[in-house]
Amino acid sequence: MPISCDVLIIGSGQAGNPLATAFADAGRRVVLVEENLLGGSCINYGCTPTKTMLASAERAHHIRTAADFGVQAGEAQVNMAAIVARKDAVIQEMRDGIRKNLEQQHKGITVLNGHAAFTEPHVVRVALAGGKEQTVTAPLVFINTGTRPNIPEIDGLSKDIYLTTNDILNIKEVPEHLIILGGGYIGLEFSQMFRRFGSRVTVVESGAELLEHEDDDVCRSMQELIEAEGVEFVLNARAHRVSCNDEGAITVSVHTRAGERRLRGTHLLVATGRRPNTDAIDLEKVGIKTDEQGYIQVNSRLETSVRGVYALGDVHGGPQFTHISYDDFRVIRDNLLLGKRRSAKQRPLPYVVFTEPQLGRIGLSESQAQEKKIPYRVATMPVQYIGRARQTAQTAGFFKVLVDNKDQIIGAAILCEQGGEIMSMLQLAMAGKLPYTTLQDTVFAHPTWAEALNNMFAKLEKPK
């Protein structure tokens, strides 16, 4: 029999799950359809598994560098199977928690495992995992189907040759030579991770710099830090052919400004972005508009071109971060359940690149401030001047903070150990509209990383 409910959510991601419980707690009947694994990309393929494995890579690095601190620890032995098993255990515990939360701790939620596709604007047909079909109707529909790895069109690039960012999370051996296509934050995290596991690593990036949205000084410093660990970068390089011989050796042919190069490795990771999961849910049948890349078009309330149908998370484009997806949930909750007016536009965009050291970013970069013609002053400070950095020998990186003519912080790039945490402190100051002088004069505990904020603004000056 068809199921009629108040709320239909397609996708169990970081926006869909809390939305399901919020509507259920408000007395609504909720159906949540998930085709793959509960928790979405963050828990299963993104933040949780990568950061769990990065923690293992960090331990290996600590062992290798222990002698620098007067500790003899021996050679680090990396067991990829054990690393993956630990990652899987962490993920499974989180999946189990999500299922318990949806099915036991909140009444009124029905979870269906299957693929949903629209037949009418407020009707979907779900191909259930067991082979049967189920029709679901609801006046409110929320699309939270997320994204998947984007594979570029390169001659010879077949599935049996490359690994996606999902696949490499389950690799049971340390690659001898890992070639990575893509120098964004995902490619950088994997490059340092596998270098620390013991792989030779080469990163191929089509742009002139890594991290295309960052200032030049941030990009250069990040590249130098990871190069110092032995990662090779090939920039301004366009891969145009991939081949694999009978022994399994992979050759990637790239065009560079210096001429043709052939890179030979044992494994190839494609980390060239993601694409939306919208091509198989029949949006065109019901008039839900998408852009040229397939991302669903929404207004400031996250409503699509069809009234009563909304899109949340990565599937509507824009910055693809878990915290933005969760804020999408808050936008919907406030507007539809709490009677408040909340917009998904013009919200802060903090993010962290979880290399070591971390890059924490909030607000405007210097190039963005210049493009917007916003008057600003900038303060930069090398991390090596911080007492905590010297004590821990984590002296790489620098702080960079922008301040406007009213002494308000308008942006920051913090490249250092705990860079994400320091960035969050600056974000709180920005949210509270505190002048930079408040941080400059605050009594912070010594010796901490936060203490650096006392000295950060000593050389605040106009851009050159």
Side-chain angles (χ1 to χ4, degrees), residues 118-131:
F118 284 90
T119 58
E120 298 178 37
H122 295 271
V123 182
V124 301
R125 181 180 292 115
V126 182
L128 298 172

Side-chain angles (χ1 to χ4, degrees), residues 205-252:
E205 167 57 37
S206 60
E209 294 181 324
L210 308 171
L211 300 171
E212 60 179 342
H213 298 298
E214 302 299 335
D215 289 331
D216 292 347
D217 52 356
V218 175
C219 295
R220 286 195 303 269
S221 185
M222 175 67 79
Q223 181 176 341
E224 290 169 0
L225 290 171
I226 299 182
E227 280 180 334
E229 294 196 24
V231 174
E232 177 189 10
F233 291 98
V234 183
L235 304 181
N236 282 314
R238 184 178 63 84
H240 65 90
R241 181 172 175 76
V242 176
S243 62
C244 182
N245 65 19
D246 294 338
E247 287 73 39
I250 297 169
T251 300
V252 180

Side-chain angles (χ1 to χ4, degrees), residues 184-185 188-189 192 210-215 217-223 225-226 321 349-362 365 396-400 412-424:
Y185 72 92
L188 289 180
E189 289 180 2
Q192 188 179 55
L210 308 171
L211 300 171
E212 60 179 342
H213 298 298
E214 302 299 335
D215 289 331
D217 52 356
V218 175
C219 295
R220 286 195 303 269
S221 185
M222 175 67 79
Q223 181 176 341
L225 290 171
I226 299 182
F321 297 110
L349 178 59
Y351 58 90
V352 181
V353 181
F354 284 91
T355 50
E356 190 182 15
Q358 298 171 4
L359 171 62
R361 278 280 288 112
I362 181 64
S365 67
F398 65 100
F399 285 23
K400 182 177 182 180
I414 309 298
L415 181 60
C416 80
E417 170 65 16
Q418 300 302 321
E421 308 299 333
I422 299 298
M423 175 274 292
S424 297

Side-chain angles (χ1 to χ4, degrees), residues 386-389 391 422 425 444-454:
I386 302 171
R388 184 65 177 164
Q391 296 153 14
I422 299 298
M425 297 179 67
F444 293 105
H446 174 79
T448 61
W449 290 99
E451 186 182 30
L453 297 175
N454 286 154

Side-chain angles (χ1 to χ4, degrees), residues 75-98:
E75 182 64 27
Q77 301 295 323
V78 174
N79 184 335
M80 282 303 303
I83 290 170
V84 170
R86 175 179 178 270
K87 177 264 299 181
D88 289 343
V90 171
I91 292 174
Q92 190 59 53
E93 183 178 5
M94 298 184 75
R95 286 181 195 147
D96 293 343
I98 291 171

Side-chain angles (χ1 to χ4, degrees), residues 401-421:
V401 184
L402 275 61
V403 173
D404 66 13
N405 289 341
K406 296 181 180 179
D407 291 345
Q408 297 290 311
I409 300 169
I410 59 173
I414 309 298
L415 181 60
C416 80
E417 170 65 16
Q418 300 302 321
E421 308 299 333

